[in-house]
Amino acid sequence: MKKKIGALFVGALGSISTTVIAGAFAKKLGLMEESYLTTDNDQTLKALNLVPIEDIVFGGWDIVKKDLYTAALEHKVVKEKILEATKNKLQEVVVLAGAATNDGGIIDSFRENAIEAPSRRAITTALINDIEKFKSRHGLDHVIVVNLSSTDKFIQVQGVPEYQSIENFESGLDQDSSRITFGMLYAYAAIMTKSPYVNFTPSVTVDIPALMDLMNQKGVVVAGKDGKTGQTLYKTVIAPMLKARSLKLTGWYSVNILGNKDGEVLNSPENLKTKIETKTGVLSEIMGYDNFDHQVKINYYKPRGDAKEAWDNIDFCGWLGEEMSMKINWVGKDSILAAPLILDLIRLTDFFYQKGEKGVLTQLACYFKSPYNFTNHDFFVQWGTLTDHVSQQYLQQGSAYV
Ligand SMILES: NC(=O)c1ccc[n+]([C@@H]2O[C@H](COP(=O)([O-])OP(=O)(O)OC[C@H]3O[C@@H](n4cnc5c(N)ncnc54)[C@H](O)[C@@H]3O)[C@@H](O)[C@H]2O)c1
């Protein structure tokens, strides 16, 4: 019998989350003419008979307080016609008080609805309770926890005792160590309830030795990090082409403007640093050298809302050292690009988990800017890794998975 699954979003009232949930409800009402999911359109992935998106039960946490319909209206991403048609269902989605750590940063400044608890240990107890209650209320076999919350401040992992072992992390929870971030609390709760965990944000969460060890101990699967939706997506397609033609990269200047809440948070230098880290790592690995100038700028420009615009100037040399360049102007919609990826990730993560896979799902690297335990950034190598994995492990001679 097919298992019943749910998805709990950290940052459930955010732009991506509301776009995902409104889209899934629109599909259920027959309002979606075409699916933009790779899991629906690629023949290999389609053969897996993944959970229909209409059957996923949604919920989550946030630190702002409003209903999901109002939040979606405010984000101005999903067309009002669709929001009106799905209004009742959107209003029924339960969004619980989030885990906040009172760190005084930009995210803290918009906190309205946080779990009232005396310590980080007590917050994780509340989160574990939330997950178990959600499962039993909806009769779910398991839930997938997806981190879609604001990008957290930059942190160094090396040398911090709480991050290095399960024992240290546990005692950090007991002692309410300020070095344990809110993202780590959700990742810990997911692992402790044996819920697969996906980190779509650039924040450091499960990617510390303590939580990776705990994940292995509990036999949970995880995937991350930082969704590859726009500029880094095409960067990791174009750079392999330059490399394959032996064109020598001398510089890549990338600039972005965006005006949504994500952009507002990234306007804070300590949060921006987390994002820049995941965006800048890709080119030197693909090219095999790093003596070129790679600059990435992200500017908050409110009039744009979710309609992010990116410009790239790529300088390269060819035969006899001749200098040439390429210009790209990408006009994307951040949450519209991200939403189908979230549903693909939920469906595939659920499938691999049900098949008994454990640990980091490296085959999902193509969805991320900075994939855990996967060093090759070439998009088509990553995509081939996923389809090869599926074909070799689960499909026999072109026949569908049963
Ligand atoms: N849209 C894209 O293309 C894309 C690509 C890659 C990564 N991301 C990342 O995805 C994340 C979400 O993006 P978005 O555009 O939906 O952002 P958003 O600002 O619209 O939503 C984030 C939500 O997280 C909530 N939040 C903050 N702290 C929380 C906490 N402690 N607990 C629970 N909720 C909390 C906020 O209140 C907000 O509702 C960001 O980190 C962004 O950098 C986005």
Side-chain angles (χ1 to χ4, degrees):
M1 205 178 71
K2 281 243 173 218
K3 299 218 163 161
K4 200 171 170 203
I5 72 150
L8 280 170
F9 292 158
V10 183
L13 296 171
S15 186
I16 299 181
S17 165
T18 51
T19 307
V20 171
I21 299 174
F25 290 161
K27 170 107 194 278
K28 200 165 189 160
L29 294 176
L31 299 174
M32 196 184 272
E33 284 166 17
E34 195 168 328
S35 167
Y36 292 87
L37 302 184
T38 50
T39 45
D40 280 340
N41 292 313
D42 177 76
Q43 291 310 312
T44 306
L45 302 184
K46 198 175 170 181
L48 294 176
N49 281 323
L50 301 168
V51 59
I53 64 171
E54 306 89 303
D55 291 356
I56 302 167
V57 183
F58 295 99
W61 301 270
D62 209 300
I63 54 164
V64 293
K65 198 167 172 55
K66 55 188 77 154
D67 69 84
L68 215 126
Y69 164 77
T70 308
L73 261 187
E74 287 174 6
H75 289 303
K76 296 191 175 70
V77 175
V78 180
K79 290 189 176 68
E80 280 190 29
K81 194 174 73 180
I82 292 178
L83 292 181
E84 287 315 312
T86 55
K87 182 173 178 178
N88 292 344
K89 293 190 73 58
L90 291 171
Q91 285 175 331
E92 279 167 17
V93 175
V94 176
V95 181
L96 302 160
T101 46
N102 310 328
D103 66 2
I106 170 85
I107 301 175
D108 221 13
S109 70
F110 50 76
R111 170 169 47 88
E112 310 166 338
N113 190 29
I115 294 170
E116 299 284 345
S119 70
R120 280 163 172 76
R121 169 63 75 193
I123 294 176
T124 57
T125 305
L127 293 175
I128 289 169
N129 199 22
D130 290 345
I131 296 173
E132 295 299 357
K133 269 198 188 150
F134 180 72
K135 272 163 65 178
S136 66
R137 189 178 322 121
H138 297 283
L140 304 173
D141 290 287
H142 57 266
V143 300
I144 293 159
V145 175
V146 186
N147 185 9
L148 296 175
S149 66
S150 314
T151 302
D152 206 353
K153 288 179 185 173
F154 178 79
I155 55 161
Q156 286 288 1
V157 173
Q158 269 183 345
V160 178
E162 286 87 335
Y163 303 161
Q164 309 309 324
S165 71
I166 303 175
E167 296 70 29
N168 288 358
F169 188 87
E170 295 277 2
S171 68
L173 289 179
D174 294 332
Q175 288 159 22
D176 199 29
S177 161
S178 62
R179 289 192 281 226
I180 298 183
T181 66
F182 74 82
M184 292 173 192
L185 300 178
Y186 289 104
Y188 175 84
I191 296 171
M192 293 304 280
T193 53
K194 297 201 171 199
S195 306
Y197 172 80
V198 177
N199 184 12
F200 201 75
T201 81
S203 311
V204 174
T205 61
V206 74
D207 42 336
I208 55 172
L211 291 181
M212 284 287 175
D213 287 350
L214 191 66
M215 165 198 75
N216 287 325
Q217 201 184 81
K218 299 278 179 194
V220 184
V221 293
V222 308
K225 70 177 182 180
D226 201 4
K228 185 152 89 168
T229 53
Q231 192 172 56
T232 309
L233 175 64
Y234 62 72
K235 203 170 259 186
T236 59
V237 168
I238 290 168
M241 175 197 77
L242 295 173
K243 162 99 171 154
R245 278 284 185 263
S246 276
L247 293 164
K248 174 88 176 63
L249 186 68
T250 53
W252 196 312
Y253 183 87
S254 301
V255 65
N256 298 266
I257 52 170
L258 80 163
N260 56 15
K261 195 166 165 194
D262 185 30
E264 192 182 340
V265 170
L266 295 177
N267 208 24
S268 155
E270 46 194 358
N271 301 65
L272 178 67
K273 196 166 175 218
T274 307
K275 190 74 162 186
I276 296 288
E277 278 272 307
T278 61
K279 275 176 89 80
T280 47
V282 298
L283 281 183
S284 46
E285 185 281 321
I286 293 174
M287 301 310 292
Y289 51 85
D290 58 7
N291 56 338
F292 52 83
D293 191 0
H294 184 199
Q295 294 189 32
V296 182
K297 315 275 178 213
I298 304 175
N299 296 322
Y300 177 54
Y301 178 62
K302 200 169 177 187
R304 264 315 162 91
D306 199 56
K308 183 197 247 180
E309 185 154 3
W311 292 267
D312 290 79
N313 173 71
I314 307 155
D315 289 306
F316 57 96
C317 289
W319 186 243
L320 301 173
E322 199 60 35
E323 289 169 3
M324 295 170 269
S325 71
M326 187 192 320
K327 320 278 175 194
I328 299 173
N329 180 197
W330 167 274
V331 188
K333 294 210 166 149
D334 248 8
S335 307
I336 295 294
L337 290 162
L341 270 61
I342 303 302
L343 291 164
D344 282 335
L345 281 165
I346 292 171
R347 301 176 88 193
L348 288 166
T349 301
D350 165 60
F351 176 85
F352 296 130
Y353 184 60
Q354 287 201 37
K355 290 278 121 199
E357 293 200 27
K358 292 188 174 32
V360 176
L361 298 174
T362 51
Q363 67 270 31
L364 295 178
C366 66
Y367 292 100
F368 300 107
K369 288 189 194 76
S370 185
Y372 297 143
N373 297 1
F374 197 93
T375 48
N376 196 322
H377 287 286
D378 180 327
F379 175 75
F380 286 107
V381 170
Q382 297 175 337
W383 173 245
T385 301
L386 173 59
T387 51
D388 286 353
H389 180 83
V390 166
S391 311
Q392 286 159 16
Q393 302 287 324
Y394 303 110
L395 303 179
Q396 298 145 6
Q397 299 278 309
S399 68
Y401 163 74
V402 191

mmCIF file of all heavy atoms in Angstrom, residues 366-391:
data_model
loop_
_atom_site.group_PDB
_atom_site.id
_atom_site.type_symbol
_atom_site.label_atom_id
_atom_site.label_comp_id
_atom_site.label_asym_id
_atom_site.label_seq_id
_atom_site.Cartn_x
_atom_site.Cartn_y
_atom_site.Cartn_z
ATOM 1 N N CYS A 366 22.189 17.918 -8.262
ATOM 2 C CA CYS A 366 21.822 18.885 -9.326
ATOM 3 C C CYS A 366 20.846 19.952 -8.842
ATOM 4 O O CYS A 366 20.666 20.970 -9.500
ATOM 5 C CB CYS A 366 21.260 18.166 -10.548
ATOM 6 S SG CYS A 366 19.689 17.337 -10.261
ATOM 7 N N TYR A 367 20.207 19.739 -7.707
ATOM 8 C CA TYR A 367 19.247 20.717 -7.198
ATOM 9 C C TYR A 367 19.910 21.796 -6.330
ATOM 10 O O TYR A 367 19.228 22.722 -5.908
ATOM 11 C CB TYR A 367 18.162 20.010 -6.367
ATOM 12 C CG TYR A 367 17.267 19.124 -7.225
ATOM 13 C CD1 TYR A 367 17.466 17.746 -7.295
ATOM 14 C CD2 TYR A 367 16.253 19.677 -8.002
ATOM 15 C CE1 TYR A 367 16.659 16.941 -8.098
ATOM 16 C CE2 TYR A 367 15.442 18.893 -8.803
ATOM 17 C CZ TYR A 367 15.653 17.531 -8.849
ATOM 18 O OH TYR A 367 14.860 16.748 -9.652
ATOM 19 N N PHE A 368 21.220 21.653 -6.068
ATOM 20 C CA PHE A 368 21.843 22.534 -5.064
ATOM 21 C C PHE A 368 23.091 23.272 -5.560
ATOM 22 O O PHE A 368 23.871 22.735 -6.328
ATOM 23 C CB PHE A 368 22.211 21.709 -3.829
ATOM 24 C CG PHE A 368 21.018 21.057 -3.188
ATOM 25 C CD1 PHE A 368 20.810 19.691 -3.287
ATOM 26 C CD2 PHE A 368 20.076 21.826 -2.506
ATOM 27 C CE1 PHE A 368 19.695 19.087 -2.719
ATOM 28 C CE2 PHE A 368 18.964 21.237 -1.930
ATOM 29 C CZ PHE A 368 18.771 19.869 -2.035
ATOM 30 N N LYS A 369 23.276 24.476 -5.007
ATOM 31 C CA LYS A 369 24.492 25.254 -5.317
ATOM 32 C C LYS A 369 25.713 24.666 -4.634
ATOM 33 O O LYS A 369 26.826 24.783 -5.130
ATOM 34 C CB LYS A 369 24.342 26.684 -4.788
ATOM 35 C CG LYS A 369 23.394 27.563 -5.533
ATOM 36 C CD LYS A 369 23.549 28.997 -5.012
ATOM 37 C CE LYS A 369 22.428 29.897 -5.454
ATOM 38 N NZ LYS A 369 21.151 29.710 -4.740
ATOM 39 N N SER A 370 25.505 24.119 -3.441
ATOM 40 C CA SER A 370 26.642 23.658 -2.656
ATOM 41 C C SER A 370 26.294 22.267 -2.087
ATOM 42 O O SER A 370 26.056 22.120 -0.892
ATOM 43 C CB SER A 370 26.888 24.685 -1.541
ATOM 44 O OG SER A 370 28.024 24.373 -0.816
ATOM 45 N N PRO A 371 26.222 21.271 -2.990
ATOM 46 C CA PRO A 371 25.695 19.966 -2.551
ATOM 47 C C PRO A 371 26.579 19.291 -1.511
ATOM 48 O O PRO A 371 27.807 19.289 -1.634
ATOM 49 C CB PRO A 371 25.646 19.147 -3.845
ATOM 50 C CG PRO A 371 26.458 19.888 -4.851
ATOM 51 C CD PRO A 371 26.572 21.317 -4.414
ATOM 52 N N TYR A 372 25.912 18.726 -0.503
ATOM 53 C CA TYR A 372 26.649 18.008 0.542
ATOM 54 C C TYR A 372 27.357 16.791 -0.075
ATOM 55 O O TYR A 372 26.749 16.019 -0.830
ATOM 56 C CB TYR A 372 25.691 17.462 1.613
ATOM 57 C CG TYR A 372 24.913 18.498 2.386
ATOM 58 C CD1 TYR A 372 23.589 18.249 2.753
ATOM 59 C CD2 TYR A 372 25.483 19.700 2.788
ATOM 60 C CE1 TYR A 372 22.859 19.187 3.493
ATOM 61 C CE2 TYR A 372 24.754 20.625 3.522
ATOM 62 C CZ TYR A 372 23.448 20.365 3.867
ATOM 63 O OH TYR A 372 22.725 21.286 4.584
ATOM 64 N N ASN A 373 28.615 16.607 0.293
ATOM 65 C CA ASN A 373 29.408 15.417 -0.085
ATOM 66 C C ASN A 373 29.459 15.166 -1.588
ATOM 67 O O ASN A 373 29.505 14.019 -2.039
ATOM 68 C CB ASN A 373 28.844 14.136 0.573
ATOM 69 C CG ASN A 373 28.926 14.197 2.076
ATOM 70 O OD1 ASN A 373 29.377 15.190 2.635
ATOM 71 N ND2 ASN A 373 28.491 13.127 2.744
ATOM 72 N N PHE A 374 29.405 16.221 -2.397
ATOM 73 C CA PHE A 374 29.475 16.043 -3.850
ATOM 74 C C PHE A 374 30.251 17.221 -4.406
ATOM 75 O O PHE A 374 29.786 18.362 -4.346
ATOM 76 C CB PHE A 374 28.054 15.995 -4.445
ATOM 77 C CG PHE A 374 28.002 15.419 -5.831
ATOM 78 C CD1 PHE A 374 27.761 14.063 -6.034
ATOM 79 C CD2 PHE A 374 28.203 16.225 -6.954
ATOM 80 C CE1 PHE A 374 27.706 13.522 -7.318
ATOM 81 C CE2 PHE A 374 28.157 15.693 -8.240
ATOM 82 C CZ PHE A 374 27.901 14.345 -8.414
ATOM 83 N N THR A 375 31.460 16.960 -4.924
ATOM 84 C CA THR A 375 32.325 18.093 -5.259
ATOM 85 C C THR A 375 32.175 18.572 -6.703
ATOM 86 O O THR A 375 32.622 19.663 -7.032
ATOM 87 C CB THR A 375 33.801 17.727 -5.013
ATOM 88 O OG1 THR A 375 34.039 16.466 -5.621
ATOM 89 C CG2 THR A 375 34.133 17.670 -3.537
ATOM 90 N N ASN A 376 31.580 17.758 -7.584
ATOM 91 C CA ASN A 376 31.501 18.163 -8.991
ATOM 92 C C ASN A 376 30.299 19.107 -9.190
ATOM 93 O O ASN A 376 29.161 18.742 -8.911
ATOM 94 C CB ASN A 376 31.353 16.915 -9.875
ATOM 95 C CG ASN A 376 31.642 17.217 -11.329
ATOM 96 O OD1 ASN A 376 31.287 18.285 -11.820
ATOM 97 N ND2 ASN A 376 32.303 16.303 -12.004
ATOM 98 N N HIS A 377 30.577 20.330 -9.695
ATOM 99 C CA HIS A 377 29.499 21.320 -9.838
ATOM 100 C C HIS A 377 28.896 21.362 -11.237
ATOM 101 O O HIS A 377 27.953 22.125 -11.475
ATOM 102 C CB HIS A 377 30.021 22.709 -9.459
ATOM 103 C CG HIS A 377 30.222 22.868 -7.980
ATOM 104 N ND1 HIS A 377 29.179 23.017 -7.101
ATOM 105 C CD2 HIS A 377 31.349 22.863 -7.233
ATOM 106 C CE1 HIS A 377 29.645 23.116 -5.864
ATOM 107 N NE2 HIS A 377 30.966 23.016 -5.926
ATOM 108 N N ASP A 378 29.441 20.617 -12.175
ATOM 109 C CA ASP A 378 28.923 20.596 -13.558
ATOM 110 C C ASP A 378 27.471 20.093 -13.523
ATOM 111 O O ASP A 378 27.211 18.953 -13.119
ATOM 112 C CB ASP A 378 29.824 19.659 -14.378
ATOM 113 C CG ASP A 378 29.391 19.551 -15.836
ATOM 114 O OD1 ASP A 378 28.184 19.623 -16.108
ATOM 115 O OD2 ASP A 378 30.275 19.357 -16.681
ATOM 116 N N PHE A 379 26.542 20.932 -13.980
ATOM 117 C CA PHE A 379 25.121 20.583 -13.852
ATOM 118 C C PHE A 379 24.800 19.251 -14.528
ATOM 119 O O PHE A 379 24.070 18.417 -13.985
ATOM 120 C CB PHE A 379 24.232 21.694 -14.441
ATOM 121 C CG PHE A 379 22.777 21.312 -14.442
ATOM 122 C CD1 PHE A 379 22.043 21.320 -13.259
ATOM 123 C CD2 PHE A 379 22.138 20.903 -15.613
ATOM 124 C CE1 PHE A 379 20.699 20.923 -13.234
ATOM 125 C CE2 PHE A 379 20.806 20.506 -15.593
ATOM 126 C CZ PHE A 379 20.085 20.518 -14.408
ATOM 127 N N PHE A 380 25.366 19.031 -15.735
ATOM 128 C CA PHE A 380 24.970 17.813 -16.453
ATOM 129 C C PHE A 380 25.627 16.555 -15.881
ATOM 130 O O PHE A 380 25.066 15.476 -16.000
ATOM 131 C CB PHE A 380 25.177 17.974 -17.962
ATOM 132 C CG PHE A 380 24.119 18.876 -18.539
ATOM 133 C CD1 PHE A 380 24.420 20.172 -18.945
ATOM 134 C CD2 PHE A 380 22.801 18.457 -18.614
ATOM 135 C CE1 PHE A 380 23.427 21.008 -19.425
ATOM 136 C CE2 PHE A 380 21.796 19.291 -19.097
ATOM 137 C CZ PHE A 380 22.109 20.574 -19.502
ATOM 138 N N VAL A 381 26.771 16.716 -15.230
ATOM 139 C CA VAL A 381 27.348 15.572 -14.499
ATOM 140 C C VAL A 381 26.406 15.230 -13.333
ATOM 141 O O VAL A 381 26.083 14.069 -13.083
ATOM 142 C CB VAL A 381 28.771 15.893 -13.996
ATOM 143 C CG1 VAL A 381 29.265 14.822 -13.034
ATOM 144 C CG2 VAL A 381 29.732 16.051 -15.167
ATOM 145 N N GLN A 382 25.940 16.266 -12.653
ATOM 146 C CA GLN A 382 25.041 16.062 -11.505
ATOM 147 C C GLN A 382 23.712 15.439 -11.957
ATOM 148 O O GLN A 382 23.205 14.504 -11.338
ATOM 149 C CB GLN A 382 24.772 17.396 -10.807
ATOM 150 C CG GLN A 382 26.017 18.028 -10.211
ATOM 151 C CD GLN A 382 25.756 19.411 -9.633
ATOM 152 O OE1 GLN A 382 24.803 20.099 -10.015
ATOM 153 N NE2 GLN A 382 26.601 19.836 -8.718
ATOM 154 N N TRP A 383 23.187 15.954 -13.056
ATOM 155 C CA TRP A 383 21.908 15.440 -13.570
ATOM 156 C C TRP A 383 22.073 13.961 -13.979
ATOM 157 O O TRP A 383 21.230 13.120 -13.673
ATOM 158 C CB TRP A 383 21.472 16.320 -14.753
ATOM 159 C CG TRP A 383 20.269 15.804 -15.476
ATOM 160 C CD1 TRP A 383 20.220 15.354 -16.759
ATOM 161 C CD2 TRP A 383 18.935 15.676 -14.959
ATOM 162 N NE1 TRP A 383 18.952 14.946 -17.071
ATOM 163 C CE2 TRP A 383 18.135 15.133 -15.985
ATOM 164 C CE3 TRP A 383 18.342 15.949 -13.736
ATOM 165 C CZ2 TRP A 383 16.787 14.855 -15.824
ATOM 166 C CZ3 TRP A 383 16.989 15.676 -13.582
ATOM 167 C CH2 TRP A 383 16.229 15.135 -14.606
ATOM 168 N N GLY A 384 23.194 13.665 -14.649
ATOM 169 C CA GLY A 384 23.473 12.280 -15.062
ATOM 170 C C GLY A 384 23.632 11.360 -13.852
ATOM 171 O O GLY A 384 23.236 10.187 -13.886
ATOM 172 N N THR A 385 24.166 11.905 -12.775
ATOM 173 C CA THR A 385 24.329 11.102 -11.552
ATOM 174 C C THR A 385 22.963 10.680 -11.023
ATOM 175 O O THR A 385 22.768 9.539 -10.593
ATOM 176 C CB THR A 385 25.097 11.919 -10.487
ATOM 177 O OG1 THR A 385 26.357 12.266 -11.040
ATOM 178 C CG2 THR A 385 25.299 11.144 -9.196
ATOM 179 N N LEU A 386 22.000 11.602 -11.092
ATOM 180 C CA LEU A 386 20.653 11.281 -10.606
ATOM 181 C C LEU A 386 19.981 10.241 -11.510
ATOM 182 O O LEU A 386 19.472 9.216 -11.033
ATOM 183 C CB LEU A 386 19.805 12.575 -10.547
ATOM 184 C CG LEU A 386 18.331 12.393 -10.210
ATOM 185 C CD1 LEU A 386 18.145 11.714 -8.848
ATOM 186 C CD2 LEU A 386 17.602 13.738 -10.205
ATOM 187 N N THR A 387 20.002 10.496 -12.803
ATOM 188 C CA THR A 387 19.277 9.572 -13.707
ATOM 189 C C THR A 387 19.972 8.209 -13.764
ATOM 190 O O THR A 387 19.308 7.174 -13.835
ATOM 191 C CB THR A 387 19.098 10.190 -15.110
ATOM 192 O OG1 THR A 387 20.367 10.643 -15.566
ATOM 193 C CG2 THR A 387 18.128 11.353 -15.087
ATOM 194 N N ASP A 388 21.319 8.191 -13.691
ATOM 195 C CA ASP A 388 22.038 6.896 -13.671
ATOM 196 C C ASP A 388 21.688 6.128 -12.396
ATOM 197 O O ASP A 388 21.461 4.923 -12.429
ATOM 198 C CB ASP A 388 23.562 7.098 -13.691
ATOM 199 C CG ASP A 388 24.058 7.523 -15.064
ATOM 200 O OD1 ASP A 388 23.241 7.530 -16.001
ATOM 201 O OD2 ASP A 388 25.248 7.877 -15.179
ATOM 202 N N HIS A 389 21.681 6.837 -11.295
ATOM 203 C CA HIS A 389 21.372 6.199 -10.007
ATOM 204 C C HIS A 389 19.993 5.538 -10.064
ATOM 205 O O HIS A 389 19.819 4.380 -9.693
ATOM 206 C CB HIS A 389 21.414 7.247 -8.895
ATOM 207 C CG HIS A 389 21.115 6.712 -7.526
ATOM 208 N ND1 HIS A 389 22.055 6.112 -6.737
ATOM 209 C CD2 HIS A 389 19.948 6.675 -6.824
ATOM 210 C CE1 HIS A 389 21.499 5.726 -5.597
ATOM 211 N NE2 HIS A 389 20.219 6.059 -5.625
ATOM 212 N N VAL A 390 19.029 6.303 -10.576
ATOM 213 C CA VAL A 390 17.657 5.789 -10.655
ATOM 214 C C VAL A 390 17.588 4.600 -11.613
ATOM 215 O O VAL A 390 17.014 3.554 -11.297
ATOM 216 C CB VAL A 390 16.694 6.931 -11.092
ATOM 217 C CG1 VAL A 390 15.351 6.384 -11.517
ATOM 218 C CG2 VAL A 390 16.519 7.922 -9.951
ATOM 219 N N SER A 391 18.202 4.754 -12.801
ATOM 220 C CA SER A 391 18.126 3.653 -13.792
ATOM 221 C C SER A 391 18.794 2.395 -13.252
ATOM 222 O O SER A 391 18.247 1.308 -13.366
ATOM 223 C CB SER A 391 18.843 4.008 -15.089
ATOM 224 O OG SER A 391 18.464 5.237 -15.528
#
